[in-house]
Amino acid sequence: MTWVVVFGAFIAALDSSLVNVGLNSIGSDLAASLTSVQWVASAYLLALGAALPASAWLGRRLGTGRLWMWSLAGFVVASVLCAVSPNLTVLVIARILQGVTGGLLVPAGQSVI
């Protein structure tokens, strides 16, 4: 069970830096400037940072195990939305959802362990 929780934290941390490698490709595929595409990475990190303080409160309200499960499910759904995004606006919104769920996933996983 522990390795599953650690894997959840690992994918959230990996996702924060992995997109930076592909910003040029994302920009060319979505016909957007690099300045606009940088919001893909920034939106994730801003949402992740904003969600961290809420994790303790939500953990007490929902239970850390439930919070972790819902966060993992939300992260997977957001990842699918990122993969099928037709334009930059949808991609940034999906990255915000990914950031919020990733910000809840890491501390909830540490509490579960």
Side-chain angles (χ1 to χ4, degrees), residues 3 11 16-17 21-22 26 41 49 56 62 66-67 75 86-87 100 103 110:
W3 67 272
I11 60 172
S16 67
S17 61
V21 176
I26 293 168
L62 302 173
R66 271 194 216 112
L67 177 61
F75 191 85
N87 57 36
V100 168
Q110 290 175 350

Side-chain angles (χ1 to χ4, degrees), residues 24-44:
N24 285 331
S25 298
I26 293 168
S28 65
D29 288 348
L30 297 177
S33 68
L34 183 59
T35 309
S36 300
V37 172
Q38 287 175 340
W39 276 106
V40 173
S42 298
Y44 178 84

Side-chain angles (χ1 to χ4, degrees), residues 3-96:
W3 67 272
V4 174
V5 175
V6 171
F7 179 72
F10 175 73
I11 60 172
L14 180 68
D15 202 37
S16 67
S17 61
L18 192 63
V19 169
N20 291 328
V21 176
L23 285 179
N24 285 331
S25 298
I26 293 168
S28 65
D29 288 348
L30 297 177
S33 68
L34 183 59
T35 309
S36 300
V37 172
Q38 287 175 340
W39 276 106
V40 173
S42 298
Y44 178 84
L45 293 174
L46 288 169
L48 185 128
L52 283 172
S55 63
W57 181 78
L58 284 170
R60 282 191 303 270
R61 300 271 302 170
L62 302 173
T64 54
R66 271 194 216 112
L67 177 61
W68 185 83
M69 291 290 280
W70 281 106
S71 298
L72 183 63
F75 191 85
V76 170
V77 167
S79 297
V80 170
L81 289 174
C82 286
V84 298
S85 296
N87 57 36
L88 187 62
T89 304
V90 175
L91 181 58
V92 170
I93 292 169
R95 289 288 289 174
I96 291 170

